[in-house]
Amino acid sequence: MSATENLNKEESKRNLNFIEQIVEKDLQEGKNGGRIQTRFPPEPNGYLHIGHAKAICLDFGIAEKYNGICNLRFDDTNPVKEDVEYVDSIMEDIRWLGFHWENVFYASDYFGQLWDLAVRFIKEGKAYVDEQTAEEIARQKGSPTVPGINSPYRDRPVEESLELFYKMNSGEIPEGKMVLRAKIDMASPNMHFRDPIMYRVIHIPHHRTGTQWKAYPMYDFAHGQSDYFEGVTHSLCTLEFEVHRPLYDWFLDQFATGDYRPRQIEFNRLNMTYTMMSKRKLLQLVQEKLVAGWDDPRMPTICGLRRRGYTPESIRNFIDDIGYTKYDGLIDVSLLEHSIREDLNKRAMRVSGVIDPVKLILTNYPEGEGEMVEAINNPEDESMGSRQVHFGRELWIERDDFMEEAPKNYFRLTPGNEVRLKNAYIVRCTGCKKDENGVVTEVYAEYDPLTRSGMPEANRKVKGTIHWVSVDHCLDAEVRLYDRLFLVENPSEEKDCDFRDLLNPESLVIKQHCKVEACLKDVKPLDSFQFQRIGYFNVDKDSTPDHLVFNRTVSLKDSWKKQQTKN
Ligand code: ATP
Ligand code: MG
């Protein structure tokens, strides 16, 4: 191998995350016959969020990169909280992110196999039915430094456990009356080894298997075995499962023969500032109508981000940038915002939208006349071309682009000052009209005909450029200004208060009677635009041709603020 090849190899190795490094080593060692298989295992008890996207990118990404397969497996072992609504949304969101599963499986597909395996454990003296209450069992558990106490049922005859296990599933045993426990070691320093529960009784019908089962396997027993039945080679999960791994391996060791073993590898979960990711709390926000549903654009759910205007690429790039480690941390939500800005900067058409309009009248522009000016659709992408925009005597501009008495470093409209109207003329402000409350109702200016593009003074420099739309040709729109849902940086850490008290009351500000360019007449939900100088906006699903609704995806950096900090 040449020196450069060697270097390239080193280079690419450095860029591999620790999981890719493990996978490559396993491949080199010929483990599992060179096969790579992963799974994404959501519990269908809620909608997917940006944290799940991190797991999805890894599970599907590893399979893609190493020519393996990734299956979607619904971890539906608890009928109490699960629903088909969630199953459908999960599939839609994974597809939208751009990933493909090889098969769809359900943990409930394995209920029969898991049952047979549990029976085998009982027969081999490795599991027993415990008739104690949950409280009694918890009391005997001990602590990491104090050994637990054996259940009085621990050494009951195999036949007795078998008979009771069947009863647990026949409907004769009420919920909470008995459980099946693995017989491992009540003194183990790993608490998960202290006779973990394998099965419990639940009488609620299951969304797929109906009333066929009354005894349901617990996560620890179901997960590893499902991985094994399916042929998973690398079972990737978040760090909180690290302490479960010895148990994961123990269950497999009891029955698996041969070389093949799924291997559990843990990575850090995604936690993000100003964001709550617990499905239980997100459900609460939805149920208590504190947000407009799972797809409320303020939610960290995939469907919420989609409705907000996030693209799959922006989410995948963000996940790529933050990477995978062995340490939990808190990611700044501004990194996610940065990612969508970068993506939309490349693809979004630039248009004019005026959120808080005030009328600008060009007093020296001929009444009843108008003209078209050219606007570049996207300076970052020439192929997007340009369009013609109506210009005239009366324009809508942003209210805060005028100040009657402005500080020195204010480069927008103030009496005596010149600004460029984007794509059109330079105008000089001459004054304004106010109502009886002192609120500005009209701003006046004179335009300079020689400053239009193609004219001798077209390139004359002025310090400020502002956007506008023609009063006679614009469209009305509702604009929803979204902000962070929580007021505090780490809402999950605020243990002493109700998380609902931490909600940002200004996370949604609705602006009616905004004015947008006529070219937005036929927009469709999810279309994205840059409203020049303001931010990226997309069309909400509530939008109709008669009532346009835009969501602010993310703002641009505010040039006024930037100037303020500079001076
Ligand atoms: P629950 O609170 O209901 O257990 P969960 O967030 O663990 O929810 P699951 O549906 O069990 O949700 O998660 C599916 C997969 O997504 C799991 O492998 C889990 O580790 C991963 N996952 C969940 N939340 C995050 C997160 N914040 N960051 C990275 N991965 C996550
Ligand atoms: Mg879970």
Side-chain angles (χ1 to χ4, degrees), residues 300-353:
T301 49
I302 303 296
C303 56
L305 291 167
R306 175 165 62 230
R307 186 169 170 193
R308 175 83 172 251
Y310 276 81
T311 57
E313 291 78 6
S314 67
I315 295 174
R316 291 172 64 157
N317 289 341
F318 163 73
I319 300 288
D320 245 16
D321 287 345
I322 59 173
Y324 297 87
T325 72
K326 273 284 187 188
Y327 310 97
D328 273 322
L330 188 61
I331 298 290
D332 195 327
V333 68
S334 61
L335 283 175
L336 179 63
E337 294 165 353
H338 172 75
S339 181
I340 186 63
R341 265 191 211 105
E342 291 262 290
D343 193 37
L344 292 179
N345 181 42
K346 283 181 273 168
R347 57 171 94 208
M349 177 166 163
R350 272 60 169 170
V351 297
S352 288

Side-chain angles (χ1 to χ4, degrees), residues 43 219 241 279:
E43 190 177 351
Y219 174 90
F241 292 103
K279 272 196 251 175

Side-chain angles (χ1 to χ4, degrees), residues 39-45 48-56 59 75 81 90 219 223 236-241 267-271 277-280:
R39 84 289 168 265
F40 174 63
E43 190 177 351
N45 63 350
L48 296 182
H49 53 56
I50 181 82
H52 292 114
K54 178 169 178 174
I56 290 170
D59 291 327
D75 187 5
K81 297 180 289 177
I90 287 169
Y219 174 90
H223 203 90
L236 312 173
C237 62
T238 35
L239 281 174
E240 68 271 24
F241 292 103
F267 61 93
N268 62 331
R269 70 188 294 125
L270 171 62
N271 303 308
M277 225 97 78
S278 146
K279 272 196 251 175
R280 193 171 51 80

Side-chain angles (χ1 to χ4, degrees), residues 276 280-281 284 486-504:
M276 190 85 97
R280 193 171 51 80
K281 297 212 169 117
Q284 211 176 333
F486 288 95
L487 286 171
V488 295
E489 214 177 40
N490 196 353
S492 313
E493 285 300 296
E494 303 280 331
K495 304 285 184 222
D496 300 333
C497 62
D498 190 322
F499 79 101
R500 289 165 295 191
D501 296 336
L502 304 172
L503 290 170
N504 176 6

Side-chain angles (χ1 to χ4, degrees), residues 291-306:
V291 294
W294 284 101
D295 69 347
D296 185 299
R298 292 164 293 179
M299 292 281 270
T301 49
I302 303 296
C303 56
L305 291 167
R306 175 165 62 230

